[in-house]
Amino acid sequence: MLTSLKRLWQSPLTAYYSALVILIIIAWFARGFLSLALFTIIFIYLGNAAIMGTERHLHLHHGLATLLIYLLFLGILVAAFSQIIPPLVTEAESLPHAVSKLIQTYPQLEGYAKKLTKELSQNATVISNGKALFTTGMGKLSRLSSGVETIVLAFFFSFIFNLTKRQLQHFAHAFTLSRFAKLFVPMGQLILSFVQIFGTVIETQLLICSINTVLMVLGLWILHMPSLLILGIAIFFLGLIPVAGVLISMIPLTIVAFITGGWIRLVEVIILVILIHMFESYFLHPRLMANATNLPIFVTFITLIVSEQVFGTWGLIVGVPLVAFFLKVFDVNLKRTSPRVSVHPSD
């Protein structure tokens, strides 16, 4: 009995799956830092790919290439937002004038608005609900500022990681020579495998976002919307945020549509956004994610639905990589066309 237990403990598979269980436990207790961890992984993956390409083509030192890439990323973000925010402020400032013009065109709207305001002010339930809505809104704004802080921290962490990558490699290698090397080696393999699968999904998300942006700009051009370049930049960056990005992008789109074309253009833009969002959710996203991970489209579609319910918005990003990761962990051969990442001890 003792011999069998000793043989089981010394088996590579025991160490492999023990490492997996430990990583799951660590991830569970650190779930409060999920957003920071995922954003950091995304920035590390994209930054590392750009840095390696720069080093290969321009033959620059690693530190100089890292600094150049991150300054370029930062410059693009600053330029994009500097192009987006001023026109939106201008459009928002002209909104009261547009509303006044609308009331002059349809005088009966002013009477309806006064009557509605009077009824709402006399309704205690509406007042209490309004207070709750205001409190909820302030909470949303607080979470939004926290989200911006998370993105800034992730960007900074990824910069430090890529800048000191060689030192971190030596640091990680020291664990493979320690007393518990049989545990640390498979942990490193598992982490590397998930990061590479997750990176492939992020590249696919960027492709989906680019296709959506092209379709949206084309649709807005057909509807004769102004400022297509600015709106296209905003749609692209907001499209990187699953589900919520579509809702946030509705704010500038509906404001500009209402000011420049009234109710008709506003309805047309809303219909356009709904159609493209349905195209992304029910066709483009499942199809491209299935191609990226070699999962069947049906499995990908079900995974997106279930993971969104379990993990929320992030489930649309981490659900498919997690399924692909565990299939790889359990050595399920999906006949990938891309180079395989060896994470199983028997590989």
Side-chain angles (χ1 to χ4, degrees):
M1 182 68 178
L2 290 176
T3 305
S4 301
L5 289 175
K6 185 177 179 180
R7 189 182 300 112
L8 179 64
W9 176 251
Q10 293 176 345
S11 170
L13 283 177
T14 301
Y16 181 76
Y17 290 113
S18 298
L20 177 63
V21 171
I22 292 173
L23 287 176
I24 292 174
I25 294 173
I26 293 174
W28 172 257
F29 282 104
R31 63 189 182 277
F33 300 95
L34 177 64
S35 295
L36 179 60
L38 292 178
F39 272 121
T40 303
I41 292 173
I42 291 171
F43 289 143
I44 287 174
Y45 184 87
L46 297 178
N48 183 63
I51 291 167
M52 291 179 64
T54 304
E55 289 178 347
R56 184 168 57 253
H57 291 97
L58 300 182
H59 306 289
L60 296 177
H61 184 268
H62 178 76
L64 183 59
T66 303
L67 187 62
L68 178 65
I69 290 299
Y70 274 84
L71 286 176
L72 182 62
F73 281 175
L74 196 59
I76 291 174
L77 287 175
V78 171
F81 282 102
S82 65
Q83 290 294 319
I84 293 170
I85 294 175
L88 288 181
V89 172
T90 303
E91 299 289 356
E93 288 176 349
S94 61
L95 185 60
H97 175 71
V99 173
S100 176
K101 185 178 179 181
L102 183 66
I103 291 175
Q104 291 176 4
T105 307
Y106 303 98
Q108 62 272 25
L109 290 177
E110 185 175 7
Y112 291 146
K114 289 181 178 179
K115 183 179 178 181
L116 180 62
T117 304
K118 183 178 179 180
E119 291 178 354
L120 291 177
S121 63
Q122 295 175 350
N123 193 323
T125 304
V126 171
I127 294 175
S128 61
N129 289 338
K131 292 180 179 178
L133 184 63
F134 176 77
T135 305
T136 304
M138 294 302 293
K140 294 286 186 181
L141 288 176
S142 175
R143 283 194 289 271
L144 179 61
S145 62
S146 177
V148 173
E149 180 183 351
T150 298
I151 293 175
V152 172
L153 277 175
F155 187 83
F156 175 73
F157 288 156
S158 69
F159 170 69
I160 299 300
F161 181 95
N162 282 319
L163 186 64
T164 61
K165 184 174 66 173
R166 290 185 175 87
Q167 296 177 8
L168 290 172
Q169 286 174 340
H170 289 298
F171 177 75
H173 181 68
F175 284 86
T176 65
L177 303 177
S178 68
R179 182 177 300 175
F180 299 97
K182 289 185 178 180
L183 189 63
F184 288 130
V185 169
M187 286 179 69
Q189 292 173 338
L190 289 166
I191 293 172
L192 179 61
S193 175
F194 176 77
V195 169
Q196 292 188 344
I197 294 173
F198 186 64
T200 301
V201 171
I202 293 302
E203 291 177 355
T204 306
Q205 182 67 30
L206 288 172
L207 177 60
I208 293 171
C209 186
S210 301
I211 294 174
N212 281 352
T213 302
V214 171
L215 292 177
M216 276 297 300
V217 171
L218 182 61
L220 295 174
W221 176 72
I222 294 174
L223 296 178
H224 304 289
M225 284 277 286
S227 307
L228 288 181
L229 177 61
I230 296 170
L231 291 176
I233 294 173
I235 290 168
F236 177 80
F237 280 103
L238 292 173
L240 297 175
I241 306 172
V243 181
V246 176
L247 300 177
I248 299 173
S249 67
M250 289 282 286
I251 298 174
L253 288 175
T254 51
I255 291 175
V256 175
F258 179 74
I259 292 175
T260 59
W263 290 105
I264 295 177
R265 181 171 289 176
L266 175 63
V267 173
E268 290 174 344
V269 168
I270 292 175
I271 293 174
L272 175 66
V273 172
I274 291 173
L275 290 176
I276 292 181
H277 181 58
M278 290 177 64
F279 172 72
E280 175 194 354
S281 299
Y282 296 105
F283 176 77
L284 192 62
H285 201 165
R287 183 66 179 268
L288 292 182
M289 285 297 179
N291 290 339
T293 58
N294 240 27
L295 293 172
I297 295 178
F298 177 78
V299 174
T300 305
F301 192 78
I302 297 299
T303 300
L304 291 172
I305 294 175
V306 174
S307 59
E308 198 233 342
Q309 293 295 320
V310 175
F311 299 106
T313 302
W314 272 114
L316 296 173
I317 295 294
V318 301
V320 173
L322 280 175
V323 172
F325 170 74
F326 278 106
L327 288 176
K328 202 169 186 66
V329 163
F330 295 119
D331 204 24
V332 179
N333 186 6
L334 296 176
K335 298 181 179 179
R336 297 181 183 274
T337 57
S338 57
R340 292 194 56 178
V341 181
S342 179
V343 299
H344 200 279
S346 61
D347 290 347

